[in-house]
Amino acid sequence: MLTNDLLARARGGDGDDFRELTEPYRRELQVHCYRMLGSFQDAEDVLQDTLLSAWQGLSGYEERASLRTWLYRIATNRCLNARRAAARRPAAPWDFGAYQPPEPTRLGEVTWLEPYPDTHLGPPVPGPETRYEQSESMSLAFITALQTLPPRQVATLILRDVLGFPATEVATMLDTTTESVTSALKRARATLAHRPPTPEPAPNSPEESALVSRFITAYEAADLPAVIALLTDDVFMSMPPIPLEYEGRTQVATFCTNLFASNRRFRLLPTRANLRPALATYLITPNNPPRATGLITLTLTHKGIRALTRFDTTVLAPFGLPPTIPSTQD
């Protein structure tokens, strides 16, 4: 709880007291920035900027809103500035070495997308009016969809429908009117209305674990029929920062066929991202330990794997994943 003495000491320049004031909100603010920006690294950068701004502006905090609301206002506006001012990272060069991917279904636009490690998530922070469960609001499909909305619609949707802030507070955060908030929210909801969530196995449930185990076994063995059997008919695969996207079992099966035909073999190391299973991929090479090549996140349904998102090695550090792992014979 915020106390007058703690706030007074923080305003007097005590850094430890400022950290004590803000630490309870640090994880949820980072998640908020991630939803706004779609990138773990960008979220971390904006979070640091938010805390610095709060530290420098604490004398101007008039306590007309809660400290949490005040911090969200700063974070939201820093995210809006980042979305408006910074050119998003361009697509990566298409260098696959000996492996040549098939023709994609289409080219994706959100090439800056990154996964969010479950270990960095704090406890759920639902509000009284939220319409998105935490799992749904952290899905890569939802995060990607947010990146395609205008910045103020993104901010409004997250603050209202994910975090449950009242419209009047959101209007104050965004320096606008309640009517403008209502209008922006209506437009954002309409855009996302055609993206209904798909029922998924419960996290860490026996059903989820069984599907992931079967995928690991098949993928490590380069057992193409077994991998394909786990995919739903409408499976979708993307690979940011490379913009290639594949939709449908036939397209993804062709990608996997080419991948396994290149005689590359992998070991997979389980982890979790965006409240879903994820697998770090390690390429097996002669006379050297398996080296990291990236991360695959899985979106599951009760019928199989609905989506695979492949990321490069730049996302591994926040997961605490090593660049190499011991060989099986070690």
Side-chain angles (χ1 to χ4, degrees), residues 8 43 45 62 64 117 155 186 208 235 242 269 278 285 310 319:
D45 291 343
E62 298 176 350
R64 287 183 291 184
K186 182 178 179 180
E208 181 191 83
V235 65
I242 297 171
L269 190 64
T285 57
R310 303 167 59 92
F319 289 84

Side-chain angles (χ1 to χ4, degrees), residues 21-36 43 47 50-51 66-72 75-76 79 116 120-127 134 138 158-159 162-165 173:
L21 278 176
T22 57
E23 186 61 29
Y25 311 107
R26 182 185 181 92
R27 285 182 181 265
E28 62 175 283
L29 287 170
Q30 186 175 26
V31 172
H32 176 59
C33 293
Y34 172 72
R35 290 190 179 109
M36 288 280 298
L47 174 63
T50 295
L51 294 175
S66 68
L67 180 67
R68 178 174 180 261
T69 298
W70 183 68
L71 290 171
Y72 265 99
T76 300
C79 287
Y116 198 95
H120 287 255
L121 287 170
V125 286
Q134 186 188 35
M138 284 301 295
I158 295 172
L159 291 170
V162 176
L163 295 167
F165 281 104
M173 291 181 188

Side-chain angles (χ1 to χ4, degrees), residues 3-309:
T3 68
N4 290 334
D5 288 345
L6 186 62
L7 180 59
R9 292 196 300 271
R11 280 175 167 158
D14 191 310
D16 289 338
D17 286 309
F18 175 77
R19 282 186 288 274
E20 186 176 345
L21 278 176
T22 57
E23 186 61 29
Y25 311 107
R26 182 185 181 92
R27 285 182 181 265
E28 62 175 283
L29 287 170
Q30 186 175 26
V31 172
H32 176 59
C33 293
Y34 172 72
R35 290 190 179 109
M36 288 280 298
L37 302 173
S39 160
F40 179 86
Q41 186 56 59
D42 290 351
E44 178 62 24
D45 291 343
V46 172
L47 174 63
Q48 296 304 321
D49 184 33
T50 295
L51 294 175
L52 177 61
S53 297
W55 169 245
Q56 293 173 336
L58 193 60
S59 61
Y61 170 52
E62 298 176 350
E63 300 183 63
R64 287 183 291 184
S66 68
L67 180 67
R68 178 174 180 261
T69 298
W70 183 68
L71 290 171
Y72 265 99
R73 177 176 183 170
I74 297 172
T76 300
N77 283 283
R78 292 300 179 275
C79 287
L80 289 173
N81 290 341
R83 287 193 55 152
R84 292 174 183 135
R88 305 306 261 173
R89 287 184 295 280
W94 302 5
D95 182 10
F96 288 87
Y99 169 67
Q100 292 301 315
E103 189 70 19
T105 306
R106 59 178 174 269
L107 299 181
E109 299 178 6
V110 188
T111 56
W112 58 88
L113 184 71
E114 292 179 349
Y116 198 95
D118 282 15
T119 52
H120 287 255
L121 287 170
V125 286
E129 300 180 26
T130 57
R131 64 163 52 189
Y132 292 98
E133 298 291 338
Q134 186 188 35
S135 179
E136 183 184 349
S137 69
M138 284 301 295
S139 73
L140 286 171
F142 182 74
I143 300 300
T144 301
L146 289 177
Q147 306 311 301
T148 65
L149 293 175
R152 277 188 170 259
Q153 288 187 30
V154 173
T156 303
L157 184 83
I158 295 172
L159 291 170
R160 290 287 287 121
D161 281 0
V162 176
L163 295 167
F165 281 104
T168 52
E169 287 193 18
V170 175
T172 300
M173 291 181 188
L174 300 178
D175 292 318
T176 188
T177 64
T178 303
E179 291 74 17
S180 294
V181 167
T182 301
S183 176
L185 181 60
K186 182 178 179 180
R187 293 195 299 272
R189 285 175 175 174
T191 301
L192 297 186
H194 67 286
R195 303 173 186 265
T198 302
E200 302 177 47
N204 298 304
S205 65
E207 182 183 8
E208 181 191 83
S209 299
L211 277 170
V212 174
S213 179
R214 289 169 60 195
F215 180 79
I216 292 173
T217 299
Y219 199 95
E220 290 186 336
D223 186 343
L224 183 63
V227 170
I228 295 174
L230 291 170
L231 307 178
T232 62
D233 291 338
D234 59 350
V235 65
F236 173 75
M237 185 174 74
S238 58
M239 49 188 68
I242 297 171
L244 307 185
E245 294 183 349
Y246 298 89
E247 187 169 13
R249 179 183 286 172
T250 300
Q251 284 275 342
V252 176
T254 301
F255 182 95
C256 293
T257 299
N258 292 8
L259 178 66
F260 294 149
S262 66
N263 293 320
R264 303 204 303 175
R265 296 295 179 266
F266 299 89
R267 286 182 58 194
L268 303 183
L269 190 64
T271 184
R272 295 193 69 84
N274 297 77
L275 296 173
R276 287 159 178 82
L279 302 161
T281 59
Y282 289 83
L283 179 66
I284 298 173
T285 57
N287 306 316
N288 289 295
R291 61 175 176 83
T293 58
L295 185 81
I296 301 174
T297 65
L298 302 177
T299 300
L300 308 179
T301 71
H302 298 294
K303 296 181 179 180
I305 299 172
R306 172 72 181 277
L308 304 94
T309 310

